[in-house]
Amino acid sequence: MSVKSQVFIPKWYLILLLILVFGCRVKEKNRESITSFKSEKIDLKTSLKAKDFEIDVNGVTTKFFVLTNKNGVEVTFTDYGQRLTSLMVPDKNGKFEDVVLGFKTLKKFITAKEKYFGSIIGRYGNRIADGKFSIDGTRYSLTVNNGNNHLHGGFKGFNNVMWKANQIADNEIEFLRISPDMEEGYPGNLKVRVHYLLTDKNELIIKYFAETDKATIVNLTHHSFFNLAGEGNGTINNHLLMINADSYTPVNKVSIPTGELRAVKGTPFDFTKLKAIGKEINIENNQLFIGKGYDQNFVLRNDLSKSSNKLTLAARVVEPISGRVMEVFTDEPGIQFYSGNFLGGGTIGKSGKPYGYRSAFCLETQHFPNAPNQPNFPSTLLRPGLMYTSTCIYKFDVIH
């Protein structure tokens, strides 16, 4: 006669097991709540609402994310285009204002004439002449979306796609995506990760990482439009700017660098010391005429190659009335300074104010425009087995 063995399980053990299982589920649920709907759990400084950034894009619902630090600085993002949608920082009196341009809804971000407010730019920031370049004797043709040239990754640039978001902590988030082989004409499946950290020193640290399975070119950057007086609060002509560069890359009539590195000394492009952006912006100068103001790449001091991991102070901006200060640090060899020359007042921003002529500036850390076609420029080539890395820090402070 066979006897089935029985195992005695104490009631206390079953109760403990249920508590552990339930606790894990609650923890996971809370984690998802923090990742996806954190903005519903705290009082936001921004006027933006999470529900206005939750829309359907190709069957996927977009989400809204919030980063904060102990000083009350607040940054919000959407996973569509990896856009920074608001940035609340204090002035010298402790008053918080949003210092980046943008809109109240994601739909407006997507449909607006200005396509790049707050977005990541890729695969290649800035312009590539005629949308063509070669790698190892193979000629590639990219989509052209800026006259005959390729700009900011093309029509389906990184600003125009969904990203997988992972909010790691209250002050930390990362975005991930694989750009498929030949997207917009670029070779290789490119695996991209971008990590944002808001520190208690009021630094927004952006770290870019990318890997490829086929030789390709990469040049990633961030495209927020800043006004340190507050978005919509007048021009940036009185902002004081320093750019740590002794030379810049002049452009031809369609804004493609000529290959020359031209000294800034004695020109309107000399920002080696703090100077009002508007001081020389309207003087007669061919380069200013081409860009309708400043829209050139500056060659940062001692950074023609990325052999060093040290970060360079690339730029410093001071808004004298509010006292707000922004510093930009990077390990990139260049920075694009754009003075908002194509803002014309027809765009109404998130606070209901028009974004007028030169009402914002951009400082985009980068390799040089059209580098794949200029052998004397630092290379943007990425091969399989290597990791593309880039760092940009926007640091905020005040002066009294």
Side-chain angles (χ1 to χ4, degrees):
M1 182 177 67
S2 63
V3 178
K4 293 183 179 179
S5 60
Q6 294 183 343
V7 178
F8 175 73
I9 301 177
K11 288 184 179 180
W12 66 264
Y13 182 84
L14 291 173
I15 293 171
L16 179 60
L17 184 63
L18 287 171
I19 291 173
L20 289 172
V21 171
F22 180 76
C24 288
R25 288 181 178 176
V26 169
K27 184 177 180 181
E28 178 65 18
K29 184 177 181 181
N30 287 341
R31 189 195 66 79
E32 291 176 357
S33 176
I34 290 171
T35 300
S36 303
F37 307 105
K38 182 175 185 296
S39 58
E40 303 294 342
K41 306 297 180 182
I42 61 174
D43 293 326
L44 297 183
K45 291 183 174 67
T46 180
S47 63
L48 302 183
K49 305 298 183 185
K51 62 182 178 61
D52 295 323
F53 287 82
E54 296 165 358
I55 64 174
D56 182 270
V57 176
N58 299 323
V60 179
T61 301
T62 60
K63 295 177 183 177
F64 187 72
F65 302 88
V66 183
L67 303 186
T68 57
N69 69 6
K70 72 176 184 181
N71 306 314
V73 173
E74 175 188 286
V75 191
T76 64
F77 291 91
T78 172
D79 48 6
Y80 185 84
Q82 200 181 125
R83 292 176 182 274
L84 191 161
T85 52
S86 68
L87 175 54
M88 306 295 296
V89 296
D91 68 4
K92 62 186 178 183
N93 298 313
K95 180 184 177 183
F96 282 81
E97 285 192 85
D98 192 345
V99 297
V100 295
L101 274 55
F103 303 105
K104 290 186 74 69
T105 70
L106 179 55
K107 287 183 179 178
K108 185 62 176 177
F109 270 100
I110 294 172
T111 59
K113 181 180 178 181
E114 174 50 64
K115 301 294 184 185
Y116 303 112
F117 282 162
S119 67
I120 185 178
I121 299 297
R123 286 190 190 187
Y124 198 98
N126 224 300
R127 293 173 175 84
I128 295 179
D130 300 318
K132 298 185 184 300
F133 65 96
S134 296
I135 298 177
D136 300 332
T138 300
R139 191 73 166 163
Y140 294 97
S141 295
L142 305 174
T143 55
V144 291
N145 61 328
N146 182 244
N148 292 324
N149 302 315
H150 177 84
L151 175 67
H152 288 342
F155 292 110
K156 193 179 180 181
F158 285 1
N159 61 298
N160 263 341
V161 295
M162 283 290 298
W163 290 78
K164 180 181 178 182
N166 175 30
Q167 183 150 4
I168 301 165
D170 287 350
N171 66 333
E172 191 174 359
I173 193 170
E174 65 179 6
F175 295 91
L176 305 98
R177 180 176 185 263
I178 295 178
S179 174
D181 183 35
M182 300 312 296
E183 183 173 58
E184 295 295 277
Y186 290 96
N189 293 294
L190 189 73
K191 183 178 180 181
V192 182
R193 178 169 64 93
V194 186
H195 182 271
Y196 296 83
L197 176 67
L198 177 61
T199 74
D200 288 336
K201 295 180 179 179
N202 294 348
E203 302 164 311
L204 181 62
I205 303 175
I206 311 173
K207 289 183 177 289
Y208 305 88
F209 305 89
E211 297 176 278
T212 184
D213 59 3
K214 185 188 298 183
T216 191
I217 56 173
V218 187
N219 188 29
L220 306 180
T221 193
H222 178 78
H223 210 314
S224 277
F225 286 63
F226 296 96
N227 185 325
L228 298 185
E231 56 90 23
N233 289 345
T235 77
I236 44 83
N237 288 333
N238 71 325
H239 284 49
L240 305 178
L241 172 66
M242 184 281 294
I243 301 179
N244 189 21
D246 294 319
S247 58
Y248 72 103
T249 54
V251 296
N252 63 21
K253 62 182 180 179
V254 291
S255 297
I256 298 295
T258 63
E260 176 189 358
L261 305 185
R262 184 177 297 176
V264 301
K265 188 175 182 179
T267 78
F269 295 86
D270 189 349
F271 286 95
T272 51
K273 296 180 180 179
L274 282 173
K275 178 178 73 175
I277 290 173
K279 182 177 181 180
E280 298 175 299
I281 200 170
N282 292 317
I283 73 171
E284 187 173 340
N285 178 279
N286 181 59
Q287 288 294 299
L288 292 175
F289 176 79
I290 291 171
K292 302 184 185 302
Y294 295 106
D295 192 11
Q296 279 82 11
N297 169 70
F298 285 74
V299 182
L300 297 176
R301 287 175 175 151
N302 303 318
D303 277 307
L304 282 178
S305 73
K306 293 184 67 178
S307 58
S308 172
N309 291 323
K310 294 182 180 179
L311 298 180
T312 296
L313 173 62
R316 188 171 194 258
V317 189
V318 178
E319 203 289 300
I321 298 176
S322 69
R324 291 190 182 94
V325 178
M326 184 178 85
E327 292 180 324
V328 186
F329 298 83
T330 188
D331 56 359
E332 288 286 343
I335 191 168
Q336 186 84 8
F337 168 46
Y338 170 61
S339 54
N341 314 311
F342 293 95
L343 297 170
T347 298
I348 305 299
K350 51 194 154 183
S351 60
K353 301 172 186 176
Y355 291 154
Y357 185 48
R358 294 177 180 159
S359 62
F361 66 89
C362 301
L363 287 168
E364 307 155 65
T365 59
Q366 63 180 12
H367 270 56
F368 302 169
N370 200 37
N373 298 309
Q374 292 287 358
N376 61 314
F377 285 179
S379 175
T380 56
L381 181 65
L382 178 67
R383 294 192 180 277
L386 299 178
M387 175 72 77
Y388 167 94
T389 63
S390 177
T391 299
C392 171
I393 299 176
Y394 294 108
K395 182 177 182 180
F396 297 90
D397 204 344
V398 294
I399 57 171
H400 294 273

